[in-house]
PDB file of all heavy atoms in Angstrom:
ATOM      1  N   ARG A  24     -17.097 -19.633  16.658  1.00 95.00           N
ATOM      2  CA  ARG A  24     -17.654 -20.848  16.073  1.00 95.00           C
ATOM      3  C   ARG A  24     -16.929 -21.237  14.778  1.00 95.00           C
ATOM      4  O   ARG A  24     -17.523 -21.643  13.804  1.00 95.00           O
ATOM      5  CB  ARG A  24     -19.162 -20.689  15.815  1.00 95.00           C
ATOM      6  CG  ARG A  24     -19.988 -20.531  17.096  1.00 95.00           C
ATOM      7  CD  ARG A  24     -19.894 -21.764  17.977  1.00 95.00           C
ATOM      8  NE  ARG A  24     -20.698 -21.685  19.176  1.00 95.00           N
ATOM      9  CZ  ARG A  24     -20.275 -21.269  20.358  1.00 95.00           C
ATOM     10  NH1 ARG A  24     -19.031 -20.849  20.503  1.00 95.00           N
ATOM     11  NH2 ARG A  24     -21.077 -21.250  21.406  1.00 95.00           N
ATOM     12  N   ASN A  25     -15.638 -21.097  14.808  1.00 95.00           N
ATOM     13  CA  ASN A  25     -14.778 -21.522  13.715  1.00 95.00           C
ATOM     14  C   ASN A  25     -13.710 -22.410  14.347  1.00 95.00           C
ATOM     15  O   ASN A  25     -13.100 -22.026  15.349  1.00 95.00           O
ATOM     16  CB  ASN A  25     -14.149 -20.294  13.038  1.00 95.00           C
ATOM     17  CG  ASN A  25     -13.079 -20.660  12.044  1.00 95.00           C
ATOM     18  OD1 ASN A  25     -11.955 -21.012  12.424  1.00 95.00           O
ATOM     19  ND2 ASN A  25     -13.405 -20.566  10.771  1.00 95.00           N
ATOM     20  N   TYR A  26     -13.488 -23.590  13.770  1.00 96.00           N
ATOM     21  CA  TYR A  26     -12.576 -24.545  14.397  1.00 96.00           C
ATOM     22  C   TYR A  26     -11.137 -24.050  14.458  1.00 96.00           C
ATOM     23  O   TYR A  26     -10.438 -24.282  15.445  1.00 96.00           O
ATOM     24  CB  TYR A  26     -12.654 -25.903  13.701  1.00 96.00           C
ATOM     25  CG  TYR A  26     -13.937 -26.621  14.007  1.00 96.00           C
ATOM     26  CD1 TYR A  26     -14.933 -26.728  13.051  1.00 96.00           C
ATOM     27  CD2 TYR A  26     -14.167 -27.171  15.261  1.00 96.00           C
ATOM     28  CE1 TYR A  26     -16.130 -27.375  13.335  1.00 96.00           C
ATOM     29  CE2 TYR A  26     -15.356 -27.816  15.560  1.00 96.00           C
ATOM     30  CZ  TYR A  26     -16.332 -27.919  14.591  1.00 96.00           C
ATOM     31  OH  TYR A  26     -17.509 -28.548  14.875  1.00 96.00           O
ATOM     32  N   GLN A  27     -10.673 -23.366  13.423  1.00 95.00           N
ATOM     33  CA  GLN A  27      -9.301 -22.867  13.436  1.00 95.00           C
ATOM     34  C   GLN A  27      -9.126 -21.812  14.536  1.00 95.00           C
ATOM     35  O   GLN A  27      -8.141 -21.844  15.283  1.00 95.00           O
ATOM     36  CB  GLN A  27      -8.932 -22.301  12.069  1.00 95.00           C
ATOM     37  CG  GLN A  27      -7.462 -21.982  11.931  1.00 95.00           C
ATOM     38  CD  GLN A  27      -7.096 -21.545  10.513  1.00 95.00           C
ATOM     39  OE1 GLN A  27      -7.909 -21.528   9.611  1.00 95.00           O
ATOM     40  NE2 GLN A  27      -5.841 -21.172  10.334  1.00 95.00           N
ATOM     41  N   ALA A  28     -10.084 -20.890  14.652  1.00 96.00           N
ATOM     42  CA  ALA A  28     -10.027 -19.879  15.712  1.00 96.00           C
ATOM     43  C   ALA A  28     -10.170 -20.542  17.082  1.00 96.00           C
ATOM     44  O   ALA A  28      -9.466 -20.175  18.037  1.00 96.00           O
ATOM     45  CB  ALA A  28     -11.116 -18.830  15.497  1.00 96.00           C
ATOM     46  N   ARG A  29     -11.059 -21.518  17.191  1.00 96.00           N
ATOM     47  CA  ARG A  29     -11.228 -22.252  18.453  1.00 96.00           C
ATOM     48  C   ARG A  29      -9.923 -22.910  18.872  1.00 96.00           C
ATOM     49  O   ARG A  29      -9.532 -22.881  20.044  1.00 96.00           O
ATOM     50  CB  ARG A  29     -12.320 -23.305  18.278  1.00 96.00           C
ATOM     51  CG  ARG A  29     -12.727 -24.101  19.518  1.00 96.00           C
ATOM     52  CD  ARG A  29     -12.113 -25.451  19.780  1.00 96.00           C
ATOM     53  NE  ARG A  29     -11.646 -26.259  18.716  1.00 96.00           N
ATOM     54  CZ  ARG A  29     -12.216 -27.381  18.304  1.00 96.00           C
ATOM     55  NH1 ARG A  29     -13.347 -27.810  18.841  1.00 96.00           N
ATOM     56  NH2 ARG A  29     -11.654 -28.108  17.352  1.00 96.00           N
ATOM     57  N   ASN A  30      -9.229 -23.529  17.913  1.00 97.00           N
ATOM     58  CA  ASN A  30      -7.977 -24.206  18.230  1.00 97.00           C
ATOM     59  C   ASN A  30      -6.925 -23.227  18.751  1.00 97.00           C
ATOM     60  O   ASN A  30      -6.163 -23.559  19.661  1.00 97.00           O
ATOM     61  CB  ASN A  30      -7.456 -24.959  17.013  1.00 97.00           C
ATOM     62  CG  ASN A  30      -8.339 -26.140  16.655  1.00 97.00           C
ATOM     63  OD1 ASN A  30      -9.227 -26.535  17.411  1.00 97.00           O
ATOM     64  ND2 ASN A  30      -8.124 -26.696  15.485  1.00 97.00           N
ATOM     65  N   MET A  31      -6.887 -22.023  18.182  1.00 97.00           N
ATOM     66  CA  MET A  31      -5.951 -21.021  18.693  1.00 97.00           C
ATOM     67  C   MET A  31      -6.310 -20.629  20.126  1.00 97.00           C
ATOM     68  O   MET A  31      -5.429 -20.547  20.989  1.00 97.00           O
ATOM     69  CB  MET A  31      -5.936 -19.786  17.781  1.00 97.00           C
ATOM     70  CG  MET A  31      -5.168 -19.996  16.511  1.00 97.00           C
ATOM     71  SD  MET A  31      -5.005 -18.490  15.540  1.00 97.00           S
ATOM     72  CE  MET A  31      -6.450 -18.611  14.508  1.00 97.00           C
ATOM     73  N   LEU A  32      -7.605 -20.394  20.378  1.00 97.00           N
ATOM     74  CA  LEU A  32      -8.030 -20.059  21.744  1.00 97.00           C
ATOM     75  C   LEU A  32      -7.641 -21.175  22.709  1.00 97.00           C
ATOM     76  O   LEU A  32      -7.120 -20.923  23.799  1.00 97.00           O
ATOM     77  CB  LEU A  32      -9.546 -19.860  21.805  1.00 97.00           C
ATOM     78  CG  LEU A  32     -10.124 -18.578  21.261  1.00 97.00           C
ATOM     79  CD1 LEU A  32     -11.641 -18.627  21.280  1.00 97.00           C
ATOM     80  CD2 LEU A  32      -9.633 -17.373  22.048  1.00 97.00           C
ATOM     81  N   ARG A  33      -7.897 -22.398  22.313  1.00 97.00           N
ATOM     82  CA  ARG A  33      -7.683 -23.556  23.182  1.00 97.00           C
ATOM     83  C   ARG A  33      -6.204 -23.887  23.373  1.00 97.00           C
ATOM     84  O   ARG A  33      -5.757 -24.167  24.487  1.00 97.00           O
ATOM     85  CB  ARG A  33      -8.407 -24.764  22.580  1.00 97.00           C
ATOM     86  CG  ARG A  33      -8.347 -26.035  23.413  1.00 97.00           C
ATOM     87  CD  ARG A  33      -8.867 -27.221  22.655  1.00 97.00           C
ATOM     88  NE  ARG A  33      -7.960 -27.500  21.528  1.00 97.00           N
ATOM     89  CZ  ARG A  33      -8.325 -28.181  20.444  1.00 97.00           C
ATOM     90  NH1 ARG A  33      -9.561 -28.632  20.327  1.00 97.00           N
ATOM     91  NH2 ARG A  33      -7.455 -28.397  19.475  1.00 97.00           N
ATOM     92  N   ASP A  34      -5.436 -23.838  22.276  1.00 97.00           N
ATOM     93  CA  ASP A  34      -4.077 -24.364  22.304  1.00 97.00           C
ATOM     94  C   ASP A  34      -2.985 -23.309  22.439  1.00 97.00           C
ATOM     95  O   ASP A  34      -1.895 -23.613  22.917  1.00 97.00           O
ATOM     96  CB  ASP A  34      -3.799 -25.174  21.031  1.00 97.00           C
ATOM     97  CG  ASP A  34      -4.769 -26.329  20.839  1.00 97.00           C
ATOM     98  OD1 ASP A  34      -5.343 -26.817  21.837  1.00 97.00           O
ATOM     99  OD2 ASP A  34      -4.950 -26.744  19.677  1.00 97.00           O
ATOM    100  N   ASP A  35      -3.253 -22.079  22.005  1.00 97.00           N
ATOM    101  CA  ASP A  35      -2.184 -21.085  21.904  1.00 97.00           C
ATOM    102  C   ASP A  35      -2.336 -19.878  22.814  1.00 97.00           C
ATOM    103  O   ASP A  35      -1.343 -19.237  23.143  1.00 97.00           O
ATOM    104  CB  ASP A  35      -2.066 -20.603  20.452  1.00 97.00           C
ATOM    105  CG  ASP A  35      -1.783 -21.744  19.489  1.00 97.00           C
ATOM    106  OD1 ASP A  35      -1.066 -22.696  19.868  1.00 97.00           O
ATOM    107  OD2 ASP A  35      -2.297 -21.701  18.350  1.00 97.00           O
ATOM    108  N   PHE A  36      -3.557 -19.540  23.180  1.00 98.00           N
ATOM    109  CA  PHE A  36      -3.770 -18.382  24.054  1.00 98.00           C
ATOM    110  C   PHE A  36      -3.309 -18.707  25.465  1.00 98.00           C
ATOM    111  O   PHE A  36      -3.583 -19.790  25.976  1.00 98.00           O
ATOM    112  CB  PHE A  36      -5.251 -17.996  24.101  1.00 98.00           C
ATOM    113  CG  PHE A  36      -5.679 -17.033  23.033  1.00 98.00           C
ATOM    114  CD1 PHE A  36      -5.564 -17.350  21.693  1.00 98.00           C
ATOM    115  CD2 PHE A  36      -6.225 -15.807  23.373  1.00 98.00           C
ATOM    116  CE1 PHE A  36      -5.966 -16.471  20.707  1.00 98.00           C
ATOM    117  CE2 PHE A  36      -6.627 -14.906  22.394  1.00 98.00           C
ATOM    118  CZ  PHE A  36      -6.498 -15.235  21.058  1.00 98.00           C
ATOM    119  N   ARG A  37      -2.619 -17.749  26.077  1.00 98.00           N
ATOM    120  CA  ARG A  37      -2.144 -17.898  27.445  1.00 98.00           C
ATOM    121  C   ARG A  37      -2.503 -16.653  28.247  1.00 98.00           C
ATOM    122  O   ARG A  37      -2.565 -15.545  27.708  1.00 98.00           O
ATOM    123  CB  ARG A  37      -0.622 -18.069  27.479  1.00 98.00           C
ATOM    124  CG  ARG A  37      -0.105 -19.280  26.724  1.00 98.00           C
ATOM    125  CD  ARG A  37      -0.426 -20.570  27.472  1.00 98.00           C
ATOM    126  NE  ARG A  37       0.016 -21.727  26.732  1.00 98.00           N
ATOM    127  CZ  ARG A  37      -0.766 -22.495  25.968  1.00 98.00           C
ATOM    128  NH1 ARG A  37      -2.049 -22.206  25.828  1.00 98.00           N
ATOM    129  NH2 ARG A  37      -0.288 -23.544  25.343  1.00 98.00           N
ATOM    130  N   LYS A  38      -2.702 -16.863  29.530  1.00 98.00           N
ATOM    131  CA  LYS A  38      -2.920 -15.733  30.434  1.00 98.00           C
ATOM    132  C   LYS A  38      -1.732 -14.785  30.283  1.00 98.00           C
ATOM    133  O   LYS A  38      -0.580 -15.216  30.289  1.00 98.00           O
ATOM    134  CB  LYS A  38      -3.040 -16.245  31.867  1.00 98.00           C
ATOM    135  CG  LYS A  38      -3.380 -15.183  32.868  1.00 98.00           C
ATOM    136  CD  LYS A  38      -3.566 -15.788  34.250  1.00 98.00           C
ATOM    137  CE  LYS A  38      -3.855 -14.691  35.248  1.00 98.00           C
ATOM    138  NZ  LYS A  38      -4.034 -15.238  36.599  1.00 98.00           N
ATOM    139  N   GLY A  39      -2.040 -13.503  30.103  1.00 98.00           N
ATOM    140  CA  GLY A  39      -1.000 -12.496  29.923  1.00 98.00           C
ATOM    141  C   GLY A  39      -0.803 -12.072  28.477  1.00 98.00           C
ATOM    142  O   GLY A  39      -0.208 -11.025  28.217  1.00 98.00           O
ATOM    143  N   ASP A  40      -1.280 -12.890  27.524  1.00 98.00           N
ATOM    144  CA  ASP A  40      -1.197 -12.497  26.117  1.00 98.00           C
ATOM    145  C   ASP A  40      -1.956 -11.194  25.899  1.00 98.00           C
ATOM    146  O   ASP A  40      -2.925 -10.899  26.605  1.00 98.00           O
ATOM    147  CB  ASP A  40      -1.803 -13.575  25.209  1.00 98.00           C
ATOM    148  CG  ASP A  40      -0.925 -14.796  25.044  1.00 98.00           C
ATOM    149  OD1 ASP A  40       0.198 -14.823  25.582  1.00 98.00           O
ATOM    150  OD2 ASP A  40      -1.377 -15.751  24.370  1.00 98.00           O
ATOM    151  N   LEU A  41      -1.538 -10.444  24.886  1.00 98.00           N
ATOM    152  CA  LEU A  41      -2.194  -9.188  24.538  1.00 98.00           C
ATOM    153  C   LEU A  41      -2.873  -9.311  23.185  1.00 98.00           C
ATOM    154  O   LEU A  41      -2.412 -10.071  22.325  1.00 98.00           O
ATOM    155  CB  LEU A  41      -1.175  -8.049  24.498  1.00 98.00           C
ATOM    156  CG  LEU A  41      -0.523  -7.707  25.834  1.00 98.00           C
ATOM    157  CD1 LEU A  41       0.596  -6.681  25.631  1.00 98.00           C
ATOM    158  CD2 LEU A  41      -1.542  -7.187  26.828  1.00 98.00           C
ATOM    159  N   ALA A  42      -3.963  -8.571  23.017  1.00 98.00           N
ATOM    160  CA  ALA A  42      -4.715  -8.627  21.764  1.00 98.00           C
ATOM    161  C   ALA A  42      -5.229  -7.246  21.398  1.00 98.00           C
ATOM    162  O   ALA A  42      -5.576  -6.441  22.268  1.00 98.00           O
ATOM    163  CB  ALA A  42      -5.900  -9.592  21.894  1.00 98.00           C
ATOM    164  N   PHE A  43      -5.270  -7.005  20.096  1.00 98.00           N
ATOM    165  CA  PHE A  43      -5.967  -5.840  19.582  1.00 98.00           C
ATOM    166  C   PHE A  43      -7.444  -6.190  19.511  1.00 98.00           C
ATOM    167  O   PHE A  43      -7.807  -7.307  19.137  1.00 98.00           O
ATOM    168  CB  PHE A  43      -5.495  -5.477  18.171  1.00 98.00           C
ATOM    169  CG  PHE A  43      -4.122  -4.884  18.101  1.00 98.00           C
ATOM    170  CD1 PHE A  43      -3.141  -5.468  17.319  1.00 98.00           C
ATOM    171  CD2 PHE A  43      -3.808  -3.719  18.792  1.00 98.00           C
ATOM    172  CE1 PHE A  43      -1.878  -4.920  17.229  1.00 98.00           C
ATOM    173  CE2 PHE A  43      -2.544  -3.158  18.710  1.00 98.00           C
ATOM    174  CZ  PHE A  43      -1.568  -3.764  17.926  1.00 98.00           C
ATOM    175  N   ILE A  44      -8.304  -5.250  19.872  1.00 98.00           N
ATOM    176  CA  ILE A  44      -9.738  -5.418  19.665  1.00 98.00           C
ATOM    177  C   ILE A  44     -10.074  -4.685  18.364  1.00 98.00           C
ATOM    178  O   ILE A  44      -9.851  -3.480  18.242  1.00 98.00           O
ATOM    179  CB  ILE A  44     -10.577  -4.935  20.877  1.00 98.00           C
ATOM    180  CG1 ILE A  44     -12.055  -5.225  20.650  1.00 98.00           C
ATOM    181  CG2 ILE A  44     -10.318  -3.497  21.210  1.00 98.00           C
ATOM    182  CD1 ILE A  44     -12.908  -5.069  21.896  1.00 98.00           C
ATOM    183  N   TYR A  45     -10.541  -5.462  17.396  1.00 97.00           N
ATOM    184  CA  TYR A  45     -10.765  -4.967  16.042  1.00 97.00           C
ATOM    185  C   TYR A  45     -12.260  -4.920  15.769  1.00 97.00           C
ATOM    186  O   TYR A  45     -12.947  -5.935  15.898  1.00 97.00           O
ATOM    187  CB  TYR A  45     -10.076  -5.898  15.043  1.00 97.00           C
ATOM    188  CG  TYR A  45     -10.254  -5.492  13.600  1.00 97.00           C
ATOM    189  CD1 TYR A  45      -9.339  -4.641  12.993  1.00 97.00           C
ATOM    190  CD2 TYR A  45     -11.328  -5.949  12.850  1.00 97.00           C
ATOM    191  CE1 TYR A  45      -9.494  -4.263  11.668  1.00 97.00           C
ATOM    192  CE2 TYR A  45     -11.491  -5.573  11.526  1.00 97.00           C
ATOM    193  CZ  TYR A  45     -10.574  -4.728  10.939  1.00 97.00           C
ATOM    194  OH  TYR A  45     -10.722  -4.358   9.631  1.00 97.00           O
ATOM    195  N   HIS A  46     -12.755  -3.759  15.392  1.00 97.00           N
ATOM    196  CA  HIS A  46     -14.172  -3.597  15.068  1.00 97.00           C
ATOM    197  C   HIS A  46     -14.401  -3.967  13.603  1.00 97.00           C
ATOM    198  O   HIS A  46     -13.865  -3.330  12.701  1.00 97.00           O
ATOM    199  CB  HIS A  46     -14.630  -2.171  15.338  1.00 97.00           C
ATOM    200  CG  HIS A  46     -14.779  -1.861  16.786  1.00 97.00           C
ATOM    201  ND1 HIS A  46     -15.040  -0.596  17.244  1.00 97.00           N
ATOM    202  CD2 HIS A  46     -14.721  -2.646  17.889  1.00 97.00           C
ATOM    203  CE1 HIS A  46     -15.135  -0.619  18.568  1.00 97.00           C
ATOM    204  NE2 HIS A  46     -14.930  -1.856  18.975  1.00 97.00           N
ATOM    205  N   SER A  47     -15.212  -4.997  13.394  1.00 95.00           N
ATOM    206  CA  SER A  47     -15.580  -5.427  12.040  1.00 95.00           C
ATOM    207  C   SER A  47     -17.072  -5.191  11.846  1.00 95.00           C
ATOM    208  O   SER A  47     -17.789  -4.890  12.803  1.00 95.00           O
ATOM    209  CB  SER A  47     -15.240  -6.907  11.840  1.00 95.00           C
ATOM    210  OG  SER A  47     -16.017  -7.717  12.696  1.00 95.00           O
ATOM    211  N   SER A  48     -17.523  -5.317  10.616  1.00 90.00           N
ATOM    212  CA  SER A  48     -18.940  -5.097  10.297  1.00 90.00           C
ATOM    213  C   SER A  48     -19.440  -3.787  10.913  1.00 90.00           C
ATOM    214  O   SER A  48     -20.464  -3.752  11.585  1.00 90.00           O
ATOM    215  CB  SER A  48     -19.791  -6.279  10.779  1.00 90.00           C
ATOM    216  OG  SER A  48     -19.395  -7.463  10.144  1.00 90.00           O
ATOM    217  N   ALA A  49     -18.668  -2.748  10.674  1.00 90.00           N
ATOM    218  CA  ALA A  49     -18.990  -1.437  11.245  1.00 90.00           C
ATOM    219  C   ALA A  49     -18.736  -0.359  10.202  1.00 90.00           C
ATOM    220  O   ALA A  49     -18.113  -0.609   9.175  1.00 90.00           O
ATOM    221  CB  ALA A  49     -18.118  -1.185  12.476  1.00 90.00           C
ATOM    222  N   ASP A  50     -19.216   0.843  10.485  1.00 90.00           N
ATOM    223  CA  ASP A  50     -18.953   1.967   9.586  1.00 90.00           C
ATOM    224  C   ASP A  50     -17.462   2.263   9.507  1.00 90.00           C
ATOM    225  O   ASP A  50     -16.948   2.640   8.461  1.00 90.00           O
ATOM    226  CB  ASP A  50     -19.698   3.218  10.054  1.00 90.00           C
ATOM    227  CG  ASP A  50     -21.203   3.081   9.904  1.00 90.00           C
ATOM    228  OD1 ASP A  50     -21.648   2.274   9.059  1.00 90.00           O
ATOM    229  OD2 ASP A  50     -21.931   3.770  10.635  1.00 90.00           O
ATOM    230  N   GLU A  51     -16.780   2.107  10.636  1.00 91.00           N
ATOM    231  CA  GLU A  51     -15.345   2.372  10.698  1.00 91.00           C
ATOM    232  C   GLU A  51     -14.634   1.083  11.122  1.00 91.00           C
ATOM    233  O   GLU A  51     -14.584   0.744  12.303  1.00 91.00           O
ATOM    234  CB  GLU A  51     -15.059   3.506  11.690  1.00 91.00           C
ATOM    235  CG  GLU A  51     -13.642   3.985  11.676  1.00 91.00           C
ATOM    236  CD  GLU A  51     -13.454   5.236  12.510  1.00 91.00           C
ATOM    237  OE1 GLU A  51     -13.956   5.276  13.648  1.00 91.00           O
ATOM    238  OE2 GLU A  51     -12.806   6.172  12.014  1.00 91.00           O
ATOM    239  N   LEU A  52     -14.112   0.350  10.145  1.00 96.00           N
ATOM    240  CA  LEU A  52     -13.378  -0.884  10.415  1.00 96.00           C
ATOM    241  C   LEU A  52     -12.006  -0.546  10.946  1.00 96.00           C
ATOM    242  O   LEU A  52     -11.312   0.305  10.375  1.00 96.00           O
ATOM    243  CB  LEU A  52     -13.223  -1.706   9.134  1.00 96.00           C
ATOM    244  CG  LEU A  52     -14.487  -2.086   8.386  1.00 96.00           C
ATOM    245  CD1 LEU A  52     -14.124  -2.798   7.091  1.00 96.00           C
ATOM    246  CD2 LEU A  52     -15.376  -2.955   9.244  1.00 96.00           C
ATOM    247  N   GLY A  53     -11.597  -1.199  12.037  1.00 97.00           N
ATOM    248  CA  GLY A  53     -10.253  -0.945  12.514  1.00 97.00           C
ATOM    249  C   GLY A  53     -10.038  -1.346  13.961  1.00 97.00           C
ATOM    250  O   GLY A  53     -10.923  -1.885  14.629  1.00 97.00           O
ATOM    251  N   ILE A  54      -8.836  -1.058  14.422  1.00 98.00           N
ATOM    252  CA  ILE A  54      -8.400  -1.429  15.763  1.00 98.00           C
ATOM    253  C   ILE A  54      -8.775  -0.310  16.735  1.00 98.00           C
ATOM    254  O   ILE A  54      -8.399   0.847  16.547  1.00 98.00           O
ATOM    255  CB  ILE A  54      -6.882  -1.687  15.783  1.00 98.00           C
ATOM    256  CG1 ILE A  54      -6.541  -2.850  14.839  1.00 98.00           C
ATOM    257  CG2 ILE A  54      -6.404  -1.969  17.202  1.00 98.00           C
ATOM    258  CD1 ILE A  54      -5.056  -3.060  14.614  1.00 98.00           C
ATOM    259  N   ALA A  55      -9.532  -0.698  17.767  1.00 98.00           N
ATOM    260  CA  ALA A  55     -10.076   0.287  18.702  1.00 98.00           C
ATOM    261  C   ALA A  55      -9.352   0.311  20.045  1.00 98.00           C
ATOM    262  O   ALA A  55      -9.579   1.211  20.847  1.00 98.00           O
ATOM    263  CB  ALA A  55     -11.560   0.025  18.931  1.00 98.00           C
ATOM    264  N   GLY A  56      -8.497  -0.686  20.297  1.00 98.00           N
ATOM    265  CA  GLY A  56      -7.801  -0.711  21.577  1.00 98.00           C
ATOM    266  C   GLY A  56      -7.061  -2.012  21.781  1.00 98.00           C
ATOM    267  O   GLY A  56      -6.952  -2.830  20.865  1.00 98.00           O
ATOM    268  N   THR A  57      -6.553  -2.171  23.005  1.00 98.00           N
ATOM    269  CA  THR A  57      -5.851  -3.399  23.375  1.00 98.00           C
ATOM    270  C   THR A  57      -6.508  -4.019  24.593  1.00 98.00           C
ATOM    271  O   THR A  57      -7.117  -3.331  25.416  1.00 98.00           O
ATOM    272  CB  THR A  57      -4.365  -3.140  23.682  1.00 98.00           C
ATOM    273  OG1 THR A  57      -4.258  -2.263  24.799  1.00 98.00           O
ATOM    274  CG2 THR A  57      -3.634  -2.572  22.475  1.00 98.00           C
ATOM    275  N   MET A  58      -6.361  -5.324  24.687  1.00 98.00           N
ATOM    276  CA  MET A  58      -6.868  -6.058  25.842  1.00 98.00           C
ATOM    277  C   MET A  58      -5.882  -7.160  26.186  1.00 98.00           C
ATOM    278  O   MET A  58      -5.013  -7.509  25.384  1.00 98.00           O
ATOM    279  CB  MET A  58      -8.270  -6.606  25.581  1.00 98.00           C
ATOM    280  CG  MET A  58      -8.440  -7.387  24.332  1.00 98.00           C
ATOM    281  SD  MET A  58     -10.204  -7.625  23.970  1.00 98.00           S
ATOM    282  CE  MET A  58     -10.038  -8.585  22.468  1.00 98.00           C
ATOM    283  N   GLN A  59      -6.023  -7.692  27.392  1.00 98.00           N
ATOM    284  CA  GLN A  59      -5.134  -8.739  27.866  1.00 98.00           C
ATOM    285  C   GLN A  59      -5.945  -9.965  28.226  1.00 98.00           C
ATOM    286  O   GLN A  59      -7.049  -9.854  28.783  1.00 98.00           O
ATOM    287  CB  GLN A  59      -4.350  -8.262  29.082  1.00 98.00           C
ATOM    288  CG  GLN A  59      -3.324  -9.251  29.578  1.00 98.00           C
ATOM    289  CD  GLN A  59      -2.395  -8.629  30.593  1.00 98.00           C
ATOM    290  OE1 GLN A  59      -2.787  -7.786  31.390  1.00 98.00           O
ATOM    291  NE2 GLN A  59      -1.141  -9.047  30.573  1.00 98.00           N
ATOM    292  N   VAL A  60      -5.402 -11.131  27.917  1.00 98.00           N
ATOM    293  CA  VAL A  60      -6.041 -12.387  28.320  1.00 98.00           C
ATOM    294  C   VAL A  60      -5.797 -12.555  29.815  1.00 98.00           C
ATOM    295  O   VAL A  60      -4.648 -12.573  30.264  1.00 98.00           O
ATOM    296  CB  VAL A  60      -5.469 -13.588  27.526  1.00 98.00           C
ATOM    297  CG1 VAL A  60      -6.084 -14.891  28.013  1.00 98.00           C
ATOM    298  CG2 VAL A  60      -5.688 -13.391  26.034  1.00 98.00           C
TER     299      VAL A  60
END
């Protein structure tokens, strides 16, 4: 629900892109793995 993030999802994300899954608002902040669009 942020327009800048929405615009990236809408305009820049492509099938096959890779992303880190980052845990925020947690006891241990950080990157927990990878995922693919």
